[in-house]
Amino acid sequence: MVRILATDGIEASAAKALSDLGFEVVQQFYDENELPGKAAEFDVVVVRSATKIRKPVIDEASKSGKLKLVIRGGVGIDNIDAVYAKEKGIEVRNTPNASSVSVAELVIGHMFSLTRFIYDANVTMRAGKWEKKRYEGIELAGKTLGLIGMGRIARCAAKMASGLGMKVIYTNTSGHKPENEPFKYVSLDELLQSSDFVSLHVPKADKPILDSANIAKMKTGAYIINTARAQLVDTAELLKALDSGKIAGAGLDVFDEEPIKDEKVYTHPKISMTPHVGGSTAEAQNRIGEEIVAIIKERFK
């Protein structure tokens, strides 16, 4: 029998579908000390964000040769040493289509929260205050959204923003300009200089894309949205830019340390925050489960 370990949990519907197909599904989290030995007992390991599949896990699993497949329920695979796993004969897959709409909607949600003071007004009103004059916002319509990266999530965000009357431009860190893309491709410098909102949609990089130099190139009063990887934005430089007024606000779903412990970030009045919930919708979770089932069926049936 094919054994599947879901270390960070799996949708109930997906677990049932796999069981109905004759697979054994074990939902159990193991810490980094226990995981190497346990992973070697399974044919498939399914992870989300919490579990890291690093070289010690891969080395131990490859000794028995039982582990054949690691699936990341989500888009990025930064928490898996994917190249090393493949060298050891372990296939690595993800579910890139499942959460695109959910993350894109969160991007737009942070933009609304920042520009219309939705969170701030909610808090002050619950305190019995009526600060109507304080909350004069700006409209998204007519503003420019600059997307760094143009993958599935960015394309969804671009369509949503376009529907709101925004102008959308984009760039790729690779410098590659896709064919038949309906939105305007520009250089990174042009994007930074022209955008009212800059949203990041690229994998983890060796160094921040929005460092002090690139933040300085941005329009004064622009906004930064990061639902991709915390390391793409230099947190210290972001805080400086927010304090100086160079950047009007930031919407963050990812952080250097999770759960977040940086008080300067989580208490900053110009930051709209969510606890890494870009893909946390009922619809996305169901789609992730469906993709996981499809991948396992394809590999073992």
Side-chain angles (χ1 to χ4, degrees):
M1 177 184 290
V2 173
R3 304 187 72 219
I4 302 164
L5 172 64
T7 60
D8 302 325
I10 190 172
E11 275 296 293
S13 58
K16 183 179 184 304
L18 291 168
S19 295
D20 290 346
L21 289 167
F23 301 128
E24 180 187 354
V25 180
V26 176
Q27 299 189 58
Q28 176 66 53
F29 177 80
Y30 294 104
D31 64 28
E32 60 182 347
N33 296 317
E34 297 177 293
L35 184 59
K38 292 296 183 180
E41 300 173 4
F42 291 85
D43 302 274
V44 183
V45 174
V46 179
V47 303
R48 296 299 303 271
S49 299
T51 299
K52 308 292 189 291
I53 304 295
R54 300 302 184 197
K55 289 183 178 181
V57 177
I58 296 166
D59 285 338
E60 189 65 28
S62 63
K63 290 178 182 178
S64 67
K66 185 171 178 62
L67 183 61
K68 299 294 192 301
L69 175 65
V70 174
I71 303 174
R72 159 76 161 97
V75 179
I77 55 173
D78 296 343
N79 55 327
I80 304 169
D81 287 337
V83 174
Y84 189 71
K86 291 174 184 177
E87 290 174 356
K88 294 290 187 176
I90 299 170
E91 184 179 4
V92 176
R93 300 283 296 273
N94 62 349
T95 59
N97 300 307
S99 57
S100 298
V101 171
S102 299
V103 179
E105 286 187 354
L106 187 62
V107 170
I108 302 299
H110 275 298
M111 290 163 61
F112 275 123
S113 180
L114 289 163
T115 58
R116 299 307 304 271
F117 304 101
I118 294 172
Y119 170 76
D120 290 351
N122 191 288
V123 171
T124 55
M125 288 186 72
R126 290 177 185 275
K129 300 177 182 178
W130 187 263
E131 299 184 331
K132 186 172 181 178
K133 292 183 179 180
R134 177 181 170 187
Y135 298 128
E136 181 182 59
I138 63 170
E139 297 176 355
L140 298 187
K143 303 301 188 296
T144 298
L145 171 62
L147 299 167
I148 300 178
M150 186 51 94
R152 294 176 179 86
I153 295 170
R155 287 190 182 92
C156 285
K159 292 175 183 177
M160 293 174 188
S162 182
L164 291 168
M166 300 186 76
K167 176 184 177 182
V168 178
I169 58 177
Y170 76 98
T171 194
N172 279 323
T173 52
S174 65
H176 173 66
K177 179 181 178 181
E179 296 181 3
N180 303 317
E181 187 63 62
F183 303 102
K184 183 180 179 183
Y185 178 88
V186 297
S187 67
L188 177 59
D189 280 357
E190 184 177 346
L191 182 142
L192 295 173
Q193 293 161 11
S194 303
S195 299
D196 300 292
F197 297 83
V198 173
S199 186
L200 295 125
H201 299 279
V202 292
K204 183 179 177 181
D206 293 333
K207 60 180 182 179
I209 294 175
L210 294 185
D211 55 13
S212 59
N214 281 335
I215 290 175
K217 295 174 185 176
M218 293 177 64
K219 292 173 67 173
T220 297
Y223 296 81
I224 292 171
I225 310 294
N226 188 12
T227 59
R229 299 290 180 270
Q231 296 79 10
L232 299 174
V233 180
D234 186 316
T235 300
E237 294 301 326
L238 171 62
L239 292 171
K240 289 179 185 177
L242 290 169
D243 290 340
S244 71
K246 172 67 177 179
I247 299 301
L252 306 177
D253 187 48
V254 288
F255 304 90
D256 293 323
E257 188 175 11
E258 298 181 0
I260 184 173
K261 296 180 180 177
D262 190 340
E263 187 175 358
K264 292 180 181 178
V265 174
Y266 69 72
T267 61
H268 203 288
K270 293 183 179 180
I271 296 179
S272 172
M273 291 170 289
T274 44
H276 205 152
V277 295
S280 296
T281 63
E283 295 86 350
Q285 297 310 304
N286 285 332
R287 288 192 294 266
I288 287 172
E290 289 168 0
E291 284 197 51
I292 289 170
V293 172
I295 291 168
I296 294 173
K297 281 178 64 177
E298 174 190 319
R299 176 65 178 79
F300 292 99
K301 283 292 185 180

